[in-house]
């Protein structure tokens, strides 16, 4: 029964050589990590966007820095509230010690620092998806080429070029390319989606940071 | 400090997601394997009985019913039975399993016609022969079984008995030869032809066939009086291209056969042949 079942996966795996098996293991590991990144980033970015939206609502409603800071406590995962909090902390420590222009400079610096940190946090691990998307098909292709080389060697040893002698080896070798594509396609799709969402968040941050600074200084 | 804590928290979260993704991959892989197993269960392989290799020319088998078996002078199982135990070990070749029950059943038919004493002694000798055969089969190593050895044994037998025309059994249709070739007199030339085709044929392996159902290719070949292949006609093709190709390759490799005996006349001879993954038989 197992042998028959193996018409497919099991016997293809058992019939493959060590290099093809190694390639398959690498590709499966790539696929697992890619899916983990996609799932984690998808959830965290979605949460960040939702909390940023909620924070912006209260930002337009309240227009009071202290109360806004208090309300931002509830949005710890949002990118905009985090940038706002960084600016507010700088503002509260420096407001009695420096002039307006100095204060503006210090707040702008703090906001910029937080903005970079936020951007880094959002895009953390995402480039791995691009790496998988670019390299997985080639790794799979390498496994296939290697498998076909060995199967041709076997054909030479068997002294037969019949379809029955050629086809199983090639079919076993092609599983590496198939696995490479299985790993690469979701990685590329996930990468495109996540970079687009991260870009949206970053644009929001850049749009609203001047408003934050003005709000601090107008208090 | 808070950034470091956040980083740690994110690492833990990432590790958890990796575990989830690994479990998901394992589940998908398991699901694929189970689906395949289910598919194989719901599409059981076609049971094919191929008997051409067993229908040896000159084998004095009792095919064709009582008239053929009764006059055989020596105990019939002695010559044919060595093949019988092999299929018990090898699962595939159903062709050789057929002779066993009939051989046991035959003496019962014969007993009706011969006197009771004769029948008794005959039964004893038959039992003895069977016991001997069982012993032989037990002493033989397991690895010696299989289709390959069955073929080798049969070929040895053919070689030792010569290729002269020796009909096995009689009657067509319902009577049926013992080896199930569709009954009737076994054509030695046909047996020779099948043997040649079998040697040249590389049947697709079970790994290549997703399912063995529908793996039947029926071909009508015409052999001219000089032994050359006069024409090939596919009466039935298999759903598997691998199977069709293997038959086509076999036939292209077999352009010339031994010339058929003169009894067939100057127009040559035509056969309908069934190719299945387990053997070749006539239609």
């Amino acid at each position: 029964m197992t042998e028959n079942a193996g018409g497919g996966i099991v016997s293809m795996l058992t019939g493959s050589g060590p290099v093809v098996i190694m390639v398959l293991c690498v590709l499966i590991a790539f696929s697992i990590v890619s899916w983990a990144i996609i799932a984690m980033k998808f959830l965290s970015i979605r949460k960040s966007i939702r909390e940023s939206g909620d924070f912006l609502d209260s930002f337009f409603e309240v227009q009071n820095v202290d109360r806004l800071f208090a309300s931002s406590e509830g949005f710890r995962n949002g990118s905009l509230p985090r940038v706002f909090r960084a600016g507010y902390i700088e503002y509260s420590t420096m407001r009695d010690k420096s002039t307006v222009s100095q204060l503006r400079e210090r707040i702008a610096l703090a906001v910029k620092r937080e903005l970079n940190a936020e951007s880094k946090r959002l895009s953390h691990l995402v480039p791995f998806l691009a790496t998988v998307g670019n390299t997985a098909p080639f790794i799979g292709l390498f496994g296939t080429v290697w498998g076909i080389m060995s199967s041709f060697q076997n054909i030479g040893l068997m002294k037969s070029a019949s379809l029955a002698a050629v086809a199983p080896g090639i079919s076993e070798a092609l599983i590496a390319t198939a696995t490479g594509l299985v790993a690469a396609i979701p990685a590329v799709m996930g990468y495109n989606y996540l970079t687009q969402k991260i870009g949206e968040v970053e644009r929001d941050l850049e749009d609203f940071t001047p408003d934050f600074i003005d709000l601090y200084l107008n208090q | 400090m808070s950034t470091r804590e956040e980083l740690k928290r994110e690492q833990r979260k990432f590790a958890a997601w990796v575990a989830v993704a690994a479990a998901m991959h394992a589940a998908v892989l398991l699901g694929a394997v189970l689906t395949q197993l289910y598919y194989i269960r719901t599409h059981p392989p076609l049971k094919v009985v191929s008997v051409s290799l067993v229908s040896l020319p000159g084998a004095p088998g009792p095919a064709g019913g009582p008239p053929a078996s009764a006059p055989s002078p020596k105990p019939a199982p002695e010559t044919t039975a060595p093949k019988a135990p092999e299929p018990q070990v090898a699962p595939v070749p159903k062709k050789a399993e057929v002779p066993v029950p009939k051989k046991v059943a035959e003496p019962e038919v014969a007993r009706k016609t011969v006197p009771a004493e004769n029948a008794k002694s005959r039964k004893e000798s038959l039992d003895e022969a069977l016991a001997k055969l069982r012993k032989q089969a037990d002493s033989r190593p397991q690895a010696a079984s299989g289709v390959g050895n069955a073929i080798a044994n049969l070929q040895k037998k053919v070689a030792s008995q010569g290729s002269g025309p020796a009909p096995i059994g009689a009657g067509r249709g319902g009577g049926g030869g013992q080896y199930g070739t569709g009954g009737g007199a076994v054509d030695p030339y046909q047996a020779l032809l099948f043997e040649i085709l079998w040697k040249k044929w590389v049947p697709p392996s079970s790994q290549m066939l997703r399912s063995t159902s529908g793996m039947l290719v029926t071909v009508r070949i015409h052999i001219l009086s000089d032994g050359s292949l006069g024409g090939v006609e596919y009466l039935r093709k298999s759903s598997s291209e691998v199977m069709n190709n293997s038959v086509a390759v076999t036939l292209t490799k077999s352009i010339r056969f031994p010339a058929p005996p003169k009894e067939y006349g100057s127009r040559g001879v035509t056969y309908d042949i069934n190719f299945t993954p387990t053997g070749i038989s006539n239609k």
Side-chain angles (χ1 to χ4, degrees), chain A residues 3 5 8-9 31-32 43 82, chain B residues 6 17 25 32 36-37 40 206:
Chain A
E3 199 213 334
I9 298 163
S31 179
I32 289 171
L43 291 180
R82 287 163 78 101
Chain B
E6 265 179 28
W17 274 113
H25 277 70
Q36 275 188 339
L37 289 175
I40 289 162
S206 63

Side-chain angles (χ1 to χ4, degrees), chain A residues 1-11 13 28 31-33 35-37 39-41 43-44 76-77 82 121 124-125 160 162-165 167-168 172, chain B residues 6-7 9-10 13-15 17-19 21-22 24-25 29 32-33 36-37 40-41 45 202-210 212 241-242 245-246 249 253:
Chain A
M1 182 61 104
T2 316
E3 199 213 334
N4 281 342
I9 298 163
V10 177
S11 82
L13 291 178
I28 289 170
S31 179
I32 289 171
V33 175
W35 276 103
I37 292 171
M40 191 180 79
K41 283 288 161 188
L43 291 180
S44 74
R76 287 212 167 247
N77 293 303
R82 287 163 78 101
R121 189 182 70 91
H124 178 58
L125 293 174
S160 165
S162 68
L163 198 63
E172 279 161 16
Chain B
E6 265 179 28
L7 204 68
R9 205 186 316 142
E10 198 157 319
K13 211 195 282 183
F14 179 63
W17 274 113
V18 167
M24 195 182 70
H25 277 70
L29 205 66
V33 171
Q36 275 188 339
L37 289 175
I40 289 162
R41 245 177 221 193
V202 184
S205 65
S206 63
Q207 289 182 349
M208 290 188 58
L209 301 172
R210 288 185 66 79
T212 51
E241 274 308 306
V242 179
N245 285 339
S246 75
V249 168
K253 280 195 283 187

Side-chain angles (χ1 to χ4, degrees), chain A residues 7 44 99 111 116 149 153 175-176 180 215:
Chain A
S44 74
T99 60
V111 164
N116 285 340
M149 273 161 58
Q153 273 178 347
I175 198 174
L215 187 69

Side-chain angles (χ1 to χ4, degrees), chain A residues 3 7 13 18 31 35 43 47 50 70 74 78 82 90 93 122 132 142 151 187 190 196 202 210 218:
Chain A
E3 199 213 334
L13 291 178
S31 179
W35 276 103
L43 291 180
K47 203 171 185 182
R50 202 175 51 222
R82 287 163 78 101
E90 192 67 25
T93 51
L122 285 174
V132 172
F142 165 73
S151 74
Q196 187 237 336
E202 283 174 349
N218 291 338

Side-chain angles (χ1 to χ4, degrees), chain A residues 38-111:
Chain A
I38 290 168
M40 191 180 79
K41 283 288 161 188
F42 173 77
L43 291 180
S44 74
I45 288 173
R46 197 177 65 165
K47 203 171 185 182
S48 170
I49 289 172
R50 202 175 51 222
E51 289 192 2
S52 295
D54 291 347
F55 174 75
L56 274 183
D57 289 345
S58 44
F59 173 77
F60 290 121
E61 276 172 23
V62 176
Q63 288 292 322
N64 180 295
V65 182
D66 298 319
R67 281 173 63 192
L68 258 178
F69 180 75
S71 70
S72 74
E73 288 285 340
F75 308 117
R76 287 212 167 247
N77 293 303
S79 297
L80 274 174
R82 287 163 78 101
V83 171
F84 175 82
R85 287 165 65 80
Y88 178 83
I89 290 164
E90 192 67 25
Y91 161 74
S92 57
T93 51
M94 298 299 293
R95 64 180 156 188
D96 300 329
K97 297 175 189 170
S98 53
T99 60
V100 175
S101 62
Q102 279 177 330
L103 189 60
R104 177 184 285 274
E105 245 178 63
R106 294 298 299 264
I107 293 171
L109 201 67
V111 164

